[in-house]
Amino acid sequence: MVLLLNRLSALALIAVFICTVGVSRIAVAQDAADATTAVPATPVSLSAQVDALGKANFKQKVQIVEELVASQNPRVRVILQAFLDGELYERKDDDSVVIGRAAGSDIKLESPATGDSLGVVAKTELKKISVNNQLRGQLRDALARLSLFHETATVRLAAINDVLKNASADALPLVQKLIETETDSDVRERAQLAQALIQVAQGEHEERLAAIKRLGDSVHPEAKSKLATLISEMAGAKDANSVVLRQAAERAVRQIEGRLEMYRFTETVFFGLSLGSVLLLAAIGLAITFGVMGVINMAHGELIMIGAYTTYVVQLLMPSHIDYSLFVAVPAAFLVAGAVGIAIERGVIRHLYGRPLETLLATFGISLLLQQLVRSIFSPLNRSVETPSWMSGAWEINSALSLTYNRLYIILFSLLVFGMLLLLLKRTTFGLNMRAVTQNRAMAKAMGIRSGWVDALTFGLGSGIAGVAGVALSQLTNVGPNLGQAYIIDSFMVVVFGGVGNLWGTFVGALSLGVVNKFLEPWSGAVLAKILVLVFIILFIQKRPRGLFPQKGRAAEA
């Protein structure tokens, strides 16, 4: 009996063991099957991310915006722009987030994820998703980062400029990617600057030193500001790395300041040359008439005014073609002012040769007459002449130096006029006759040159160039009856300083006086600068009464 019980117990133990192993194998097989048939977790869709904005607080919205940017979905730009513009709404019926644009008193809906139209609903069915100032700043920064890879280079440049204003560490991966793929040199240069701005505040010691060196090679305002911040932060640090970084930043700031000083000098020279170019155009006609006929023409400023008003009238006659108006205004101003000059010479001045005081008084009276005539026709109010699009804006060489196109074109135009006038005087019969009358009027008349007509045409030529000067001035200031009075004294100073009747003297005198004026203005003011220049010319004339380049010839020696 005992033996039987022992055998039954052994059999029971064997059965239990077999059942346990079987159950274990079934469980393992089931786990394997479950692992094989399990569906992987799907990423959150764009619609779900946008819908989450409806119930999120401001802190959560900031996180969602960063997740949207990281998704690199092309629709994210549209969504964030709508969010920034206050056009992101939550539907009250299903809590979905949509883009809504005003359509009269209602709102036209658009799917954020696809851009599909979702119809038009009343404003009461929607709840606008709120934005605070911090979130607006983040949205602008996010949009700038998304624009870094736009297909248009100008958009990418604007985006990287926005990144420069707020160089956050979050933008570093995108900026580095932009540097690797960018083909436009300007955009790549700004991207490298943005990279340096970010790296200078973080990273390894050698990396920060390299970033400081990169900032020292730039003149962008953000570079100097970032370095100044770094210097102030490390002012009290004593460890070796901080001292090295501070010294490197101080050297970089000095390097930037030296380069900025050079660019300020260049800009001052440019503005001086532009002023000198205007003085050259205004004085060159006076140099011709004064040199040939010895006439002190006090109406010369009004001839400049006539050229400016001619430009104004031309633009009134061709309002749809402003870009081409100057190409018509230049010859028109030359002809109109030249005709007025010939009329003045034939009607008044030719009767007063040899009487300089009477000529001065007569031309002064003519200047008053012309001013009143303009006031009667155009009113005493100043008139604005529109600048063509190709003369608008500035040529930005770098962040510290930009040259305005209108002044640049005026410099080139004055050089062109000066060159054409030299060719006229040196290579034409009229120029030969004019030079003959200038050097010895009696001998020229004895050789058969009609000095009277030479005087008239010379006066007309000088008046026409004054009219052309008026065209240039109309692009720098408003046109008014007193426009010419501001330049008549300066024109006489240029002529006397350069040498009466000498074109090269007028050229050198105009440009040099223009540059000197611009260098004096920052510390003395515009009015005192003119007074100082006048005093200098008076002292100079005491030593060289005939100016820089005096006339040659028997008449000059007499």
Side-chain angles (χ1 to χ4, degrees):
M1 189 67 180
V2 175
L3 181 61
L4 179 61
L5 289 173
N6 290 335
R7 288 180 178 178
L8 288 175
S9 299
L11 290 172
L13 289 172
I14 293 171
V16 171
F17 175 76
I18 293 172
C19 290
T20 303
V21 172
V23 171
S24 299
R25 288 183 177 181
I26 291 172
V28 171
Q30 184 64 40
D31 291 341
D34 291 342
T36 304
T37 58
V39 178
T42 57
V44 180
S45 65
L46 181 62
S47 298
Q49 285 180 304
V50 177
D51 289 342
L53 289 170
K55 302 299 182 184
N57 56 35
F58 285 117
K59 185 177 180 180
Q60 292 169 336
K61 287 175 183 177
V62 168
Q63 183 178 355
I64 294 172
V65 168
E66 289 301 325
E67 292 173 355
L68 288 172
V69 173
S71 70
Q72 297 186 353
N73 192 302
R75 287 289 302 173
V76 170
R77 182 198 301 273
V78 179
I79 295 169
L80 297 186
Q81 188 63 57
F83 197 6
L84 181 62
D85 296 339
E87 296 178 341
L88 214 57
Y89 296 88
E90 182 185 17
R91 274 181 154 175
K92 293 181 179 179
D93 54 354
D94 59 2
D95 294 338
S96 63
V97 174
V98 294
I99 296 175
R101 309 189 192 280
S105 59
D106 297 325
I107 302 293
K108 183 179 179 181
L109 302 185
E110 176 185 316
S111 171
T114 63
D116 296 337
S117 176
L118 300 178
V120 180
V121 300
K123 291 183 179 180
T124 55
E125 299 181 25
L126 303 172
K127 177 184 176 183
K128 182 178 288 188
I129 299 179
S130 57
V131 182
N132 61 7
N133 290 335
Q134 180 183 359
L135 188 54
R136 286 191 188 93
Q138 190 211 11
L139 287 171
R140 293 190 185 96
D141 181 58
L143 285 168
R145 285 183 274 146
L146 288 172
S147 300
L148 291 176
F149 303 97
H150 196 275
E151 60 272 11
T152 307
T154 53
V155 176
R156 298 197 300 273
L157 184 61
I160 195 63
N161 284 334
D162 289 338
V163 172
L164 284 173
K165 297 175 185 176
N166 183 25
S168 62
D170 296 333
L172 183 58
L174 293 175
V175 170
Q176 290 174 333
K177 183 179 178 182
L178 178 65
I179 293 173
E180 296 172 0
T181 59
E182 184 56 55
T183 57
D184 186 87
S185 59
D186 291 336
V187 178
R188 189 189 304 110
E189 181 184 357
R190 294 295 173 90
Q192 291 171 343
L193 176 60
Q195 181 187 37
L197 285 172
I198 298 171
Q199 290 178 338
V200 78
Q202 59 183 12
E204 300 296 330
H205 179 70
E206 295 300 327
E207 190 178 61
R208 297 180 75 181
L209 280 177
I212 290 173
K213 185 178 184 303
R214 175 70 184 85
L215 294 180
D217 294 333
S218 173
V219 291
H220 196 280
E222 295 295 335
K224 185 178 179 182
S225 175
K226 192 72 173 180
L227 290 171
T229 302
L230 181 65
I231 292 171
S232 62
E233 289 175 351
M234 295 187 172
K238 301 298 183 181
D239 60 288
N241 286 345
S242 297
V243 171
V244 171
L245 288 174
R246 187 181 71 249
Q247 291 174 348
E250 290 171 349
R251 286 195 300 270
V253 168
R254 288 194 297 269
Q255 185 179 349
I256 291 174
E257 289 175 346
R259 195 176 289 109
L260 289 175
E261 186 65 30
M262 180 186 68
Y263 287 136
R264 282 193 289 267
F265 177 83
T266 304
E267 190 175 54
T268 303
V269 171
F270 171 73
F271 280 109
L273 290 177
S274 67
L275 174 61
S277 299
V278 173
L279 292 177
L280 176 63
L281 289 173
I284 197 170
L286 193 63
I288 294 173
T289 56
F290 195 16
V292 174
M293 296 173 289
V295 174
I296 303 176
N297 181 17
M298 296 301 295
H300 189 76
E302 279 57 51
L303 296 171
I304 297 174
M305 174 197 67
I306 288 174
Y309 271 103
T310 303
T311 308
Y312 171 70
V313 172
V314 167
Q315 288 197 350
L316 290 181
L317 296 177
M318 42 191 310
S320 301
H321 303 87
I322 297 298
D323 284 350
Y324 307 101
S325 61
L326 291 186
F327 297 102
V328 178
V330 169
F334 180 82
L335 293 175
V336 171
V340 172
I342 291 175
I344 292 173
E345 197 279 335
R346 290 285 88 186
V348 178
I349 293 178
R350 72 187 182 100
H351 302 292
L352 301 173
Y353 285 137
R355 291 181 285 176
L357 180 60
E358 287 86 341
T359 304
L360 187 149
L361 293 175
T363 54
F364 179 71
I366 292 172
S367 72
L368 297 178
L369 179 64
L370 291 175
Q371 288 182 43
Q372 188 56 45
L373 180 63
V374 166
R375 289 190 179 94
S376 300
I377 297 175
F378 297 101
S379 84
L381 301 177
N382 288 342
R383 302 294 179 177
S384 178
V385 175
E386 194 171 344
T387 302
S389 60
W390 51 273
M391 287 186 69
S392 303
W395 175 26
E396 187 175 344
I397 299 175
N398 53 47
S399 302
L401 179 62
S402 59
L403 309 179
T404 54
Y405 285 126
N406 59 348
R407 293 182 180 274
L408 186 60
Y409 280 118
I410 287 173
I411 292 174
L412 297 177
F413 179 66
S414 65
L415 294 177
L416 177 63
V417 171
F418 182 77
M420 293 177 64
L421 186 59
L422 284 180
L423 289 176
L424 177 67
L425 297 181
K426 300 292 185 182
R427 304 293 182 184
T428 64
T429 303
F430 169 71
L432 179 63
N433 293 339
M434 194 178 103
R435 284 185 288 128
V437 173
T438 302
Q439 293 180 6
N440 196 319
R441 179 179 294 271
M443 183 60 69
K445 292 175 71 173
M447 296 294 295
I449 296 175
R450 300 176 63 185
S451 61
W453 280 108
V454 170
D455 289 338
L457 293 177
T458 301
F459 203 93
L461 175 63
S463 301
I465 295 176
V468 170
V471 178
L473 279 173
S474 69
Q475 301 303 305
L476 298 177
T477 184
N478 289 327
V479 178
N482 298 320
L483 174 66
Q485 292 298 308
Y487 292 92
I488 184 65
I489 302 300
D490 291 337
S491 299
F492 274 109
M493 285 198 303
V494 168
V495 172
V496 173
F497 176 63
V500 177
N502 190 297
L503 292 184
W504 281 109
T506 304
F507 178 82
V508 174
L511 296 184
S512 59
L513 290 181
V515 172
V516 169
N517 258 297
K518 287 301 177 183
F519 274 102
L520 290 176
E521 282 180 7
W523 64 274
S524 66
V527 176
L528 184 57
K530 287 183 177 295
I531 294 174
L532 292 175
V533 170
L534 179 60
V535 171
F536 165 75
I537 291 177
I538 293 173
L539 296 175
F540 179 82
I541 294 302
Q542 297 298 315
K543 297 294 183 182
R544 292 179 64 95
R546 296 181 181 178
L548 284 174
F549 301 93
Q551 273 187 330
K552 296 179 181 180
R554 294 179 182 177
E557 293 169 0

